[in-house]
Amino acid sequence: MLSRLVKEHQDKQSRYKEQQERRRKEALASVHKLTKTMVDGINIGVETAYENQRKLDQESKKLLSRSAKYMKQTSQWLSLVEGLHNTLKGLGDLEQWAKAIEADMGAILETMERVHNKISE
């Protein structure tokens, strides 16, 4: 009877250990699955953030390139406008010079006509 009780106890202990081992494996599998799901979710977020950052970097480089091109073009336009301004200013000076010459020529003509009239009288 004692041996049978010992045997029953050992069988019970063995089944209990097997049950505990099975539960431990199930718990580990569940934890592993949960961890994998969480890491996958985090990785998707990280991947999206990385992809967005990469796109932003590309767009930023394009913008920088376009800005440099625009600055160069603007500088060229400013040089052209300044040249045109100086040319127009020079034409204005030339016009004033021509008016001054015309006035001087008118005065000379008037003087010559007076002299001619005096000689003719």
PDB file of all heavy atoms in Angstrom, residues 35-57:
ATOM      1  N   THR A  35       6.132  39.357 -28.470  1.00  0.00           N
ATOM      2  CA  THR A  35       7.342  40.151 -28.693  1.00  0.00           C
ATOM      3  C   THR A  35       7.574  40.367 -30.181  1.00  0.00           C
ATOM      4  O   THR A  35       7.877  41.480 -30.619  1.00  0.00           O
ATOM      5  CB  THR A  35       8.561  39.449 -28.068  1.00  0.00           C
ATOM      6  OG1 THR A  35       8.307  39.225 -26.686  1.00  0.00           O
ATOM      7  CG2 THR A  35       9.817  40.278 -28.218  1.00  0.00           C
ATOM      8  N   LYS A  36       7.416  39.310 -30.964  1.00  0.00           N
ATOM      9  CA  LYS A  36       7.607  39.425 -32.413  1.00  0.00           C
ATOM     10  C   LYS A  36       6.594  40.395 -33.012  1.00  0.00           C
ATOM     11  O   LYS A  36       6.941  41.244 -33.831  1.00  0.00           O
ATOM     12  CB  LYS A  36       7.468  38.056 -33.074  1.00  0.00           C
ATOM     13  CG  LYS A  36       7.767  38.056 -34.564  1.00  0.00           C
ATOM     14  CD  LYS A  36       7.686  36.651 -35.120  1.00  0.00           C
ATOM     15  CE  LYS A  36       7.986  36.565 -36.595  1.00  0.00           C
ATOM     16  NZ  LYS A  36       7.686  37.664 -37.423  1.00  0.00           N
ATOM     17  N   THR A  37       5.335  40.290 -32.577  1.00  0.00           N
ATOM     18  CA  THR A  37       4.292  41.189 -33.071  1.00  0.00           C
ATOM     19  C   THR A  37       4.612  42.636 -32.709  1.00  0.00           C
ATOM     20  O   THR A  37       4.489  43.546 -33.543  1.00  0.00           O
ATOM     21  CB  THR A  37       2.919  40.788 -32.497  1.00  0.00           C
ATOM     22  OG1 THR A  37       2.655  39.429 -32.838  1.00  0.00           O
ATOM     23  CG2 THR A  37       1.815  41.671 -33.030  1.00  0.00           C
ATOM     24  N   MET A  38       5.043  42.862 -31.485  1.00  0.00           N
ATOM     25  CA  MET A  38       5.379  44.217 -31.048  1.00  0.00           C
ATOM     26  C   MET A  38       6.575  44.760 -31.821  1.00  0.00           C
ATOM     27  O   MET A  38       6.566  45.908 -32.279  1.00  0.00           O
ATOM     28  CB  MET A  38       5.644  44.239 -29.541  1.00  0.00           C
ATOM     29  CG  MET A  38       4.383  44.039 -28.714  1.00  0.00           C
ATOM     30  SD  MET A  38       4.704  43.926 -26.941  1.00  0.00           S
ATOM     31  CE  MET A  38       5.396  45.517 -26.599  1.00  0.00           C
ATOM     32  N   VAL A  39       7.598  43.940 -31.968  1.00  0.00           N
ATOM     33  CA  VAL A  39       8.806  44.376 -32.689  1.00  0.00           C
ATOM     34  C   VAL A  39       8.465  44.654 -34.150  1.00  0.00           C
ATOM     35  O   VAL A  39       8.928  45.647 -34.725  1.00  0.00           O
ATOM     36  CB  VAL A  39       9.926  43.319 -32.551  1.00  0.00           C
ATOM     37  CG1 VAL A  39      11.058  43.598 -33.523  1.00  0.00           C
ATOM     38  CG2 VAL A  39      10.452  43.302 -31.130  1.00  0.00           C
ATOM     39  N   ASP A  40       7.628  43.786 -34.733  1.00  0.00           N
ATOM     40  CA  ASP A  40       7.225  44.024 -36.116  1.00  0.00           C
ATOM     41  C   ASP A  40       6.475  45.349 -36.235  1.00  0.00           C
ATOM     42  O   ASP A  40       6.698  46.120 -37.169  1.00  0.00           O
ATOM     43  CB  ASP A  40       6.341  42.876 -36.638  1.00  0.00           C
ATOM     44  CG  ASP A  40       7.122  41.594 -36.893  1.00  0.00           C
ATOM     45  OD1 ASP A  40       8.371  41.655 -36.917  1.00  0.00           O
ATOM     46  OD2 ASP A  40       6.486  40.534 -37.065  1.00  0.00           O
ATOM     47  N   GLY A  41       5.585  45.608 -35.288  1.00  0.00           N
ATOM     48  CA  GLY A  41       4.849  46.873 -35.290  1.00  0.00           C
ATOM     49  C   GLY A  41       5.784  48.063 -35.145  1.00  0.00           C
ATOM     50  O   GLY A  41       5.640  49.073 -35.839  1.00  0.00           O
ATOM     51  N   ILE A  42       6.728  47.947 -34.262  1.00  0.00           N
ATOM     52  CA  ILE A  42       7.707  49.029 -34.063  1.00  0.00           C
ATOM     53  C   ILE A  42       8.562  49.190 -35.306  1.00  0.00           C
ATOM     54  O   ILE A  42       8.821  50.303 -35.756  1.00  0.00           O
ATOM     55  CB  ILE A  42       8.572  48.761 -32.818  1.00  0.00           C
ATOM     56  CG1 ILE A  42       7.713  48.898 -31.562  1.00  0.00           C
ATOM     57  CG2 ILE A  42       9.752  49.714 -32.764  1.00  0.00           C
ATOM     58  CD1 ILE A  42       8.394  48.439 -30.293  1.00  0.00           C
ATOM     59  N   ASN A  43       8.979  48.057 -35.881  1.00  0.00           N
ATOM     60  CA  ASN A  43       9.816  48.120 -37.087  1.00  0.00           C
ATOM     61  C   ASN A  43       9.090  48.788 -38.245  1.00  0.00           C
ATOM     62  O   ASN A  43       9.697  49.534 -39.008  1.00  0.00           O
ATOM     63  CB  ASN A  43      10.279  46.716 -37.494  1.00  0.00           C
ATOM     64  CG  ASN A  43      11.423  46.219 -36.641  1.00  0.00           C
ATOM     65  OD1 ASN A  43      12.081  46.998 -35.960  1.00  0.00           O
ATOM     66  ND2 ASN A  43      11.654  44.926 -36.660  1.00  0.00           N
ATOM     67  N   ILE A  44       7.791  48.529 -38.354  1.00  0.00           N
ATOM     68  CA  ILE A  44       7.020  49.180 -39.414  1.00  0.00           C
ATOM     69  C   ILE A  44       7.032  50.686 -39.197  1.00  0.00           C
ATOM     70  O   ILE A  44       7.237  51.461 -40.130  1.00  0.00           O
ATOM     71  CB  ILE A  44       5.580  48.618 -39.476  1.00  0.00           C
ATOM     72  CG1 ILE A  44       5.606  47.191 -40.018  1.00  0.00           C
ATOM     73  CG2 ILE A  44       4.678  49.504 -40.326  1.00  0.00           C
ATOM     74  CD1 ILE A  44       4.270  46.474 -39.912  1.00  0.00           C
ATOM     75  N   GLY A  45       6.835  51.102 -37.958  1.00  0.00           N
ATOM     76  CA  GLY A  45       6.868  52.535 -37.648  1.00  0.00           C
ATOM     77  C   GLY A  45       8.238  53.135 -37.913  1.00  0.00           C
ATOM     78  O   GLY A  45       8.360  54.220 -38.486  1.00  0.00           O
ATOM     79  N   VAL A  46       9.275  52.408 -37.521  1.00  0.00           N
ATOM     80  CA  VAL A  46      10.643  52.892 -37.738  1.00  0.00           C
ATOM     81  C   VAL A  46      10.935  52.936 -39.233  1.00  0.00           C
ATOM     82  O   VAL A  46      11.534  53.891 -39.733  1.00  0.00           O
ATOM     83  CB  VAL A  46      11.665  51.981 -37.004  1.00  0.00           C
ATOM     84  CG1 VAL A  46      13.079  52.286 -37.440  1.00  0.00           C
ATOM     85  CG2 VAL A  46      11.526  52.150 -35.494  1.00  0.00           C
ATOM     86  N   GLU A  47      10.496  51.916 -39.947  1.00  0.00           N
ATOM     87  CA  GLU A  47      10.716  51.875 -41.391  1.00  0.00           C
ATOM     88  C   GLU A  47      10.013  53.049 -42.076  1.00  0.00           C
ATOM     89  O   GLU A  47      10.586  53.704 -42.951  1.00  0.00           O
ATOM     90  CB  GLU A  47      10.187  50.551 -41.960  1.00  0.00           C
ATOM     91  CG  GLU A  47      10.414  50.384 -43.449  1.00  0.00           C
ATOM     92  CD  GLU A  47       9.883  49.064 -43.965  1.00  0.00           C
ATOM     93  OE1 GLU A  47       9.636  48.146 -43.171  1.00  0.00           O
ATOM     94  OE2 GLU A  47       9.708  48.961 -45.191  1.00  0.00           O
ATOM     95  N   THR A  48       8.797  53.331 -41.654  1.00  0.00           N
ATOM     96  CA  THR A  48       8.052  54.458 -42.220  1.00  0.00           C
ATOM     97  C   THR A  48       8.764  55.776 -41.911  1.00  0.00           C
ATOM     98  O   THR A  48       8.922  56.622 -42.792  1.00  0.00           O
ATOM     99  CB  THR A  48       6.616  54.487 -41.660  1.00  0.00           C
ATOM    100  OG1 THR A  48       5.981  53.246 -41.965  1.00  0.00           O
ATOM    101  CG2 THR A  48       5.808  55.625 -42.241  1.00  0.00           C
ATOM    102  N   ALA A  49       9.199  55.921 -40.683  1.00  0.00           N
ATOM    103  CA  ALA A  49       9.911  57.150 -40.295  1.00  0.00           C
ATOM    104  C   ALA A  49      11.206  57.286 -41.096  1.00  0.00           C
ATOM    105  O   ALA A  49      11.542  58.382 -41.573  1.00  0.00           O
ATOM    106  CB  ALA A  49      10.212  57.137 -38.799  1.00  0.00           C
ATOM    107  N   TYR A  50      11.925  56.191 -41.261  1.00  0.00           N
ATOM    108  CA  TYR A  50      13.176  56.224 -42.030  1.00  0.00           C
ATOM    109  C   TYR A  50      12.899  56.591 -43.487  1.00  0.00           C
ATOM    110  O   TYR A  50      13.612  57.409 -44.070  1.00  0.00           O
ATOM    111  CB  TYR A  50      13.876  54.858 -41.957  1.00  0.00           C
ATOM    112  CG  TYR A  50      15.105  54.789 -42.814  1.00  0.00           C
ATOM    113  CD1 TYR A  50      16.300  55.390 -42.416  1.00  0.00           C
ATOM    114  CD2 TYR A  50      15.085  54.143 -44.046  1.00  0.00           C
ATOM    115  CE1 TYR A  50      17.421  55.350 -43.208  1.00  0.00           C
ATOM    116  CE2 TYR A  50      16.198  54.098 -44.845  1.00  0.00           C
ATOM    117  CZ  TYR A  50      17.370  54.694 -44.426  1.00  0.00           C
ATOM    118  OH  TYR A  50      18.471  54.654 -45.237  1.00  0.00           O
ATOM    119  N   GLU A  51      11.871  55.997 -44.069  1.00  0.00           N
ATOM    120  CA  GLU A  51      11.511  56.278 -45.460  1.00  0.00           C
ATOM    121  C   GLU A  51      11.114  57.744 -45.617  1.00  0.00           C
ATOM    122  O   GLU A  51      11.537  58.407 -46.572  1.00  0.00           O
ATOM    123  CB  GLU A  51      10.365  55.362 -45.906  1.00  0.00           C
ATOM    124  CG  GLU A  51      10.052  55.428 -47.362  1.00  0.00           C
ATOM    125  CD  GLU A  51      11.175  54.966 -48.262  1.00  0.00           C
ATOM    126  OE1 GLU A  51      11.988  54.121 -47.851  1.00  0.00           O
ATOM    127  OE2 GLU A  51      11.249  55.485 -49.401  1.00  0.00           O
ATOM    128  N   ASN A  52      10.337  58.253 -44.669  1.00  0.00           N
ATOM    129  CA  ASN A  52       9.957  59.675 -44.713  1.00  0.00           C
ATOM    130  C   ASN A  52      11.175  60.574 -44.590  1.00  0.00           C
ATOM    131  O   ASN A  52      11.283  61.580 -45.286  1.00  0.00           O
ATOM    132  CB  ASN A  52       8.944  59.995 -43.616  1.00  0.00           C
ATOM    133  CG  ASN A  52       7.583  59.392 -43.889  1.00  0.00           C
ATOM    134  OD1 ASN A  52       7.269  59.021 -45.015  1.00  0.00           O
ATOM    135  ND2 ASN A  52       6.768  59.282 -42.858  1.00  0.00           N
ATOM    136  N   GLN A  53      12.088  60.209 -43.699  1.00  0.00           N
ATOM    137  CA  GLN A  53      13.307  61.002 -43.528  1.00  0.00           C
ATOM    138  C   GLN A  53      14.147  60.994 -44.806  1.00  0.00           C
ATOM    139  O   GLN A  53      14.690  62.013 -45.211  1.00  0.00           O
ATOM    140  CB  GLN A  53      14.135  60.456 -42.350  1.00  0.00           C
ATOM    141  CG  GLN A  53      15.390  61.242 -42.072  1.00  0.00           C
ATOM    142  CD  GLN A  53      15.102  62.667 -41.641  1.00  0.00           C
ATOM    143  OE1 GLN A  53      14.175  62.903 -40.887  1.00  0.00           O
ATOM    144  NE2 GLN A  53      15.878  63.618 -42.122  1.00  0.00           N
ATOM    145  N   ARG A  54      14.218  59.845 -45.451  1.00  0.00           N
ATOM    146  CA  ARG A  54      14.989  59.724 -46.695  1.00  0.00           C
ATOM    147  C   ARG A  54      14.364  60.616 -47.772  1.00  0.00           C
ATOM    148  O   ARG A  54      15.075  61.341 -48.477  1.00  0.00           O
ATOM    149  CB  ARG A  54      15.019  58.263 -47.153  1.00  0.00           C
ATOM    150  CG  ARG A  54      15.954  57.995 -48.321  1.00  0.00           C
ATOM    151  CD  ARG A  54      15.936  56.526 -48.742  1.00  0.00           C
ATOM    152  NE  ARG A  54      14.643  56.092 -49.212  1.00  0.00           N
ATOM    153  CZ  ARG A  54      14.149  56.350 -50.436  1.00  0.00           C
ATOM    154  NH1 ARG A  54      14.851  57.054 -51.285  1.00  0.00           N
ATOM    155  NH2 ARG A  54      12.963  55.903 -50.778  1.00  0.00           N
ATOM    156  N   LYS A  55      13.035  60.591 -47.869  1.00  0.00           N
ATOM    157  CA  LYS A  55      12.350  61.435 -48.846  1.00  0.00           C
ATOM    158  C   LYS A  55      12.569  62.914 -48.541  1.00  0.00           C
ATOM    159  O   LYS A  55      12.791  63.721 -49.454  1.00  0.00           O
ATOM    160  CB  LYS A  55      10.854  61.115 -48.866  1.00  0.00           C
ATOM    161  CG  LYS A  55      10.520  59.791 -49.520  1.00  0.00           C
ATOM    162  CD  LYS A  55       9.028  59.501 -49.457  1.00  0.00           C
ATOM    163  CE  LYS A  55       8.697  58.135 -50.037  1.00  0.00           C
ATOM    164  NZ  LYS A  55       7.264  57.819 -49.906  1.00  0.00           N
ATOM    165  N   LEU A  56      12.507  63.263 -47.260  1.00  0.00           N
ATOM    166  CA  LEU A  56      12.754  64.657 -46.875  1.00  0.00           C
ATOM    167  C   LEU A  56      14.170  65.086 -47.238  1.00  0.00           C
ATOM    168  O   LEU A  56      14.385  66.208 -47.713  1.00  0.00           O
ATOM    169  CB  LEU A  56      12.532  64.840 -45.369  1.00  0.00           C
ATOM    170  CG  LEU A  56      11.082  64.900 -44.916  1.00  0.00           C
ATOM    171  CD1 LEU A  56      11.005  64.897 -43.391  1.00  0.00           C
ATOM    172  CD2 LEU A  56      10.394  66.124 -45.470  1.00  0.00           C
ATOM    173  N   ASP A  57      15.132  64.205 -47.020  1.00  0.00           N
ATOM    174  CA  ASP A  57      16.520  64.517 -47.380  1.00  0.00           C
ATOM    175  C   ASP A  57      16.649  64.751 -48.883  1.00  0.00           C
ATOM    176  O   ASP A  57      17.323  65.693 -49.319  1.00  0.00           O
ATOM    177  CB  ASP A  57      17.459  63.395 -46.939  1.00  0.00           C
ATOM    178  CG  ASP A  57      17.667  63.360 -45.436  1.00  0.00           C
ATOM    179  OD1 ASP A  57      17.332  64.356 -44.765  1.00  0.00           O
ATOM    180  OD2 ASP A  57      18.168  62.324 -44.934  1.00  0.00           O
TER     181      ASP A  57
END
